[in-house]
Amino acid sequence: MAAEMALVKPITKFSSSTPRIGTSRVPSTRFFTIKMSSSTVAKKKSQKQEIKETLLTPRFYTTDFDEMEQLFNTQINKNLNMDEFEALLQEFKTDFNQTHFVRNKEFKEAADKIEGPLRQIFVEFLERSCTAEFSGFLLYKELGRRLKKTNPVVAEIFSLMSRDEARHAGFLNKGLSDFNLALDLGFLTKARKYTFFKPKFIFYATYLSEKIGYWRYITIYRHLKENPEYQCYPIFKYFENWCQDENRHGDFFSALMKAQPQFLNDWKAKLWARFFCLSVYVTMYLNDCQRTAFYEGIGLDTKEFDMHVIIETNRTTARIFPAVLDVENPEFKRKLDRMVEINEQLLAVGESDDIPLVKNLKRIPLIASLASELLAAYLMKPIESGSMDFAEFEPQVVY
Ligand SMILES: [Fe+2]
Ligand SMILES: [Fe+2]
């Protein structure tokens, strides 16, 4: 997983049993260990800092694993095209990026040169990306474990995808070490709340998250290739191959959804598909517009970058989702921009010196306007899309 999908409110929250991870320990003497989001953990040392968690912070997900087992039981679900999954498994086993994520001394040297406000925003980029990647690792790892008996092929693909995400998260965490920081992933695994999504929602959300991640990474990569003067930190040079992992992950979810036509072929599916598209796009847009310094720091116009990513993701998504949003209609962008303005006002209220009661009163009309913009964007005339019978699935590299 590569992108964030946080605007959707959790249906239920609980601390699930979490999979064990192998890469959780971080050295602590030289680094500041960052612990995210636990009010229960006391700040024992000044070295430990916490990241403020908001509605837009990357989340961890869990699902109904019993239902997942039913969905991938070949005795029950005759739509499962196991030849297709076998082919995908072979592709994942090939492990194209096995030797890709190797660091060099350029990283630390580049990080030392990043100073001022850009340094802080860079750190935040690395933290959020690492958390999003790690979130994918946890979910896929658990799915790989839980589906082993029911469908060993699908289970192994999930395990291999968790391998990819662990690599991505680890690489980003090493990037943080260039800034003398480290995310305590073991702590995160235990301490964070997990958002529960039913399997069909996991499919929509993770598919979109993978594809939007692909488009984000490839767009940044291409931009920096054309404008090397903005290449201020070498991690971006790895995005070209990295994003192919995300693309493959997305294609796997596409194959999964084709095997569950009930999630794609009725009016409810159309409503949910639009809802998830909107949630993912708005979350990214609001998040990125709060961090324009980062995108400007690498020579991008934040809104232009985001719209490009949204449009491309939407076009890709239209190949499988039964309906998508009309994001190329200028009215859609106007609505996003209004949401950014309202979000800025909400943030300003939060940062004001008012007492909590006054802050809450001031928030009410803003939240109402945000909700009404969201609803209006959701109700814009959608684009009917998807094709359950589209050509045979062909894994392919997209550049
Ligand atoms: Fe990833
Ligand atoms: Fe991924």
Side-chain angles (χ1 to χ4, degrees):
M1 217 178 302
E4 303 153 13
M5 222 285 308
L7 201 68
V8 180
K9 283 223 169 184
I11 298 168
T12 54
K13 283 179 167 181
F14 57 91
S15 296
S16 76
S17 61
T18 50
R20 285 185 303 146
I21 51 165
T23 55
S24 62
R25 292 293 105 207
V26 289
S28 58
T29 47
R30 281 192 305 119
F31 299 115
F32 292 85
T33 306
I34 301 168
K35 298 194 166 191
M36 293 182 74
S37 131
S38 179
S39 51
T40 57
V41 175
K43 288 182 211 168
K44 286 181 196 158
K45 295 175 187 170
S46 60
Q47 277 189 325
K48 288 174 185 168
Q49 74 190 73
E50 291 181 9
I51 294 169
K52 215 168 62 180
E53 184 147 353
T54 70
L55 194 61
L56 299 176
T57 309
R59 293 182 185 281
F60 286 2
Y61 296 95
T62 187
T63 189
D64 181 341
F65 293 103
D66 293 333
E67 190 188 332
M68 279 284 187
E69 281 184 82
Q70 299 247 313
L71 294 174
F72 291 108
N73 187 325
T74 46
Q75 302 299 312
I76 299 172
N77 184 354
K78 301 293 177 197
N79 290 310
L80 286 162
N81 179 349
M82 290 315 293
D83 289 344
E84 185 177 326
F85 287 115
E86 286 281 1
L88 273 166
L89 176 58
Q90 289 315 312
E91 201 190 343
F92 277 104
K93 277 185 176 169
T94 307
D95 198 2
F96 296 101
N97 284 338
Q98 192 177 21
T99 55
H100 179 61
F101 295 95
V102 179
R103 280 160 53 86
N104 56 44
K105 65 181 176 53
E106 275 179 48
F107 279 76
K108 180 70 181 150
E109 288 166 8
D112 288 345
K113 284 186 198 139
I114 302 173
E115 288 169 342
L118 188 60
R119 190 172 172 89
Q120 182 50 42
I121 210 102
F122 239 89
V123 165
E124 204 192 345
F125 166 78
L126 292 171
E127 285 165 2
R128 295 178 69 89
S129 304
C130 181
T131 309
E133 295 281 11
F134 190 66
S135 160
F137 160 76
L138 290 175
L139 179 67
Y140 299 160
K141 177 102 179 153
E142 188 64 1
L143 280 163
R145 198 175 70 79
R146 293 291 293 262
L147 295 174
K148 217 175 243 170
K149 281 203 192 104
T150 326
N151 193 325
V153 173
V154 167
E156 194 173 354
I157 297 177
F158 273 118
S159 297
L160 293 175
M161 293 206 311
S162 78
R163 165 204 69 193
D164 295 342
E165 305 299 19
R167 239 178 230 159
H168 302 165
F171 201 64
L172 286 156
N173 214 4
K174 286 211 179 100
L176 279 167
S177 75
D178 297 327
F179 296 84
N180 303 325
L181 293 160
L183 266 181
D184 188 340
L185 299 176
F187 172 85
L188 269 187
T189 310
K190 293 192 203 87
R192 281 199 97 197
K193 293 263 177 20
Y194 284 69
T195 299
F196 176 84
F197 273 168
K198 284 170 73 65
K200 80 166 168 179
F201 300 143
I202 287 282
F203 294 155
Y204 299 142
T206 40
Y207 172 83
L208 279 166
S209 165
E210 297 289 0
K211 288 295 180 185
I212 209 167
Y214 164 76
W215 280 110
R216 285 174 65 83
Y217 286 155
I218 196 68
T219 306
I220 292 175
Y221 175 81
R222 286 176 184 158
H223 160 74
L224 290 175
K225 200 171 178 208
E226 276 169 32
N227 303 280
E229 67 275 22
Y230 291 106
Q231 185 70 263
C232 53
Y233 186 62
I235 205 160
F236 306 117
K237 291 181 189 164
Y238 292 72
F239 279 8
E240 188 183 29
N241 288 34
W242 185 330
C243 74
Q244 295 305 337
D245 283 343
E246 313 305 1
N247 203 31
R248 268 188 290 277
H249 300 169
D251 287 342
F252 170 61
F253 278 103
S254 185
L256 288 186
M257 284 189 280
K258 278 202 305 176
Q260 313 291 341
Q262 73 278 18
F263 295 161
L264 294 172
N265 62 6
D266 62 8
W267 62 272
K268 279 187 286 184
K270 288 184 180 180
L271 294 179
W272 282 117
R274 283 159 58 197
F275 173 77
F276 276 88
C277 283
L278 184 65
S279 303
V280 169
Y281 303 157
V282 170
T283 302
M284 182 181 79
Y285 205 79
L286 295 186
N287 262 322
D288 290 350
C289 285
Q290 282 177 52
R291 297 170 178 81
T292 49
F294 173 77
Y295 298 95
E296 284 163 10
I298 57 170
L300 283 165
D301 176 299
T302 310
K303 287 184 174 178
E304 260 177 40
F305 165 72
D306 270 33
M307 279 317 294
H308 171 77
V309 169
I310 288 172
I311 287 169
E312 292 296 350
T313 304
N314 206 55
R315 286 179 184 167
T316 308
T317 303
R319 286 168 18 204
I320 181 80
F321 278 24
V324 291
L325 304 171
D326 186 7
V327 298
E328 293 177 59
N329 179 339
E331 183 52 31
F332 185 77
K333 181 172 184 303
R334 279 197 286 275
K335 287 186 168 31
L336 286 179
D337 288 336
R338 280 200 289 273
M339 288 181 219
V340 170
E341 282 167 28
I342 299 165
N343 193 42
E344 280 166 0
Q345 291 170 37
L346 272 169
L347 292 171
V349 169
E351 281 163 15
S352 69
D353 295 329
D354 293 329
I355 58 166
L357 177 67
V358 174
K359 279 186 183 179
N360 285 338
L361 288 173
K362 283 184 177 172
R363 280 187 184 120
I364 292 169
L366 293 171
I367 290 170
S369 329
L370 188 59
S372 110
E373 286 296 344
L374 277 166
L375 186 65
Y378 181 71
L379 294 176
M380 277 175 68
K381 192 172 182 302
I383 296 172
E384 300 280 319
S385 61
S387 169
M388 287 303 302
D389 54 358
F390 61 71
E392 285 290 291
F393 175 80
E394 290 170 28
Q396 52 184 247
V397 176
V398 182
Y399 285 102

